[in-house]
Amino acid sequence: MQFASLGSGSRGNGTLIKEADTTLLVDCGFSAKEAEKRLYQQGVAPSELTALLVTHEHADHISGIRVLARRYHLPVYATAGTAACLSEDLNGLIRTFNCHTDFSIQDLHILPFPVPHDAREPAQFVFSNGEYRLGLLTDVGSITPLIESVLSGCDALMLEANHDIDMLAEGDYPPSLKIRVGGRFGHLNNVQSSTLLEKIDTSRLQHIFAMHISEKNNLPSLVLPLFAKALNCEHDWIGIADQDAGFGWRQLTKA
Ligand SMILES: [Zn+2]
Ligand SMILES: [Zn+2]
């Protein structure tokens, strides 16, 4: 199983998950043209995609979904709440899933789980090929017991580290946006993310990436020490998902 990022942050998100001939694009918060360019940069022709998965309807996750789906006739997997926010002209392509029921798309098994975020019915995912488990968690304001349990024991994690509490408090966001981002249905701060890493079983981790890092309210240099301390590892072992470049393919392999 392999994974890569087309970019991560409030200006657009897109994550690739690949197993054998199955390639999923999770979210597309870039224009279709920009997404096509980023896909080719990762060596993927858009026509090779098996399906699109959508975590929730915020623009940084769906901007290019409709055009990509129609242009390449790709099925779009979303919860009923998220699907209701996508346009009706995707009717024939929408495949709704239940946030509490796992399902498969060809070679990949997908465990969706609900998260506290200010969208209609947001979901995040654990992907599996039967041998390895890959967890994705972004756009979540608070950690629930369910999140701890599904992300425990993963072989790789892509984990939101959206903001530093002090930078958000002292930054130039309007007060209402500060409350939204820092609230229980907003985004994870660095301490919440690193505390999650301390609590869950990370003994199998081969890869960890910090995701959805705010360009205004955070710095990789603030994330790395907290993640490294939580995982008792070197800073350079921790990956950072870049807004412009994402990160290149990573593979899960036998130890
Ligand atoms: Zn987002
Ligand atoms: Zn969001």
Side-chain angles (χ1 to χ4, degrees):
M1 187 159 56
Q2 293 173 277
F3 62 104
S5 167
L6 304 185
S8 179
S10 58
R11 288 190 290 112
N13 296 273
T15 306
L16 289 163
I17 316 285
K18 181 170 167 58
E19 168 66 26
D21 293 330
T22 306
T23 306
L24 307 180
L25 176 58
V26 184
D27 292 335
C28 183
F30 307 102
S31 70
K33 190 176 170 198
E34 177 68 19
E36 287 166 348
K37 187 183 99 184
R38 291 178 185 231
L39 283 165
Y40 281 116
Q41 283 170 349
Q42 298 284 8
V44 176
S47 57
E48 289 172 48
L49 291 172
T50 310
L52 306 173
L53 267 79
V54 183
T55 58
H56 65 298
E57 71 276 16
H58 289 162
D60 57 322
H61 298 262
I62 66 158
S63 287
I65 288 285
R66 297 177 188 89
V67 176
L68 273 190
R70 282 199 301 265
R71 187 170 291 166
Y72 300 100
H73 205 73
L74 298 169
V76 179
Y77 288 78
T79 62
T82 300
C85 302
L86 297 168
S87 66
E88 288 183 16
D89 51 4
L90 284 180
N91 267 353
L93 293 169
I94 294 283
R95 310 279 185 274
T96 54
F97 61 83
N98 180 324
C99 229
H100 300 274
T101 308
D102 54 337
F103 61 99
S104 291
I105 302 175
Q106 295 185 9
D107 297 306
L108 280 164
H109 192 72
I110 298 145
L111 173 69
F113 55 96
V115 292
H117 189 56
D118 51 4
R120 287 284 293 272
E121 193 183 356
Q124 297 291 320
F125 304 105
V126 173
F127 301 90
S128 170
N129 63 353
E131 189 171 13
Y132 300 112
R133 294 172 71 241
L134 164 62
L136 173 65
L137 181 72
T138 73
D139 297 77
V140 50
S142 39
I143 298 297
T144 62
L146 177 64
I147 291 172
E148 290 175 0
S149 108
V150 295
L151 294 185
S152 210
C154 279
D155 300 274
L157 282 176
M158 291 178 275
L159 173 60
E160 170 165 64
N162 177 259
H163 59 278
D164 171 77
I165 295 171
D166 294 335
M167 283 185 74
L168 178 66
E170 292 157 17
D172 59 5
Y173 273 15
S176 60
L177 187 54
K178 289 183 183 183
I179 289 168
R180 197 220 129 208
V181 168
R184 290 177 55 229
F185 295 89
H187 290 271
L188 290 182
N189 65 52
N190 297 340
V191 173
Q192 287 173 297
S193 306
S194 51
T195 302
L196 173 67
L197 287 176
E198 282 167 6
K199 283 183 91 168
I200 63 176
D201 172 11
T202 55
S203 61
R204 290 174 57 96
L205 266 193
Q206 296 183 26
H207 302 279
I208 170 91
F209 278 89
M211 309 289 287
H212 218 301
I213 295 176
S214 170
E215 293 176 298
K216 292 204 166 134
N217 302 312
N218 209 355
L219 293 166
S221 60
L222 297 173
V223 178
L224 292 174
L226 288 174
F227 275 29
K229 183 164 177 279
L231 295 170
N232 193 22
C233 70
E234 300 295 327
H235 290 197
D236 61 5
W237 196 74
I238 295 153
I240 298 285
D242 187 76
Q243 176 70 82
D244 292 323
F247 57 80
W249 287 102
R250 297 298 194 275
Q251 183 146 21
L252 288 162
T253 53
K254 282 197 166 56

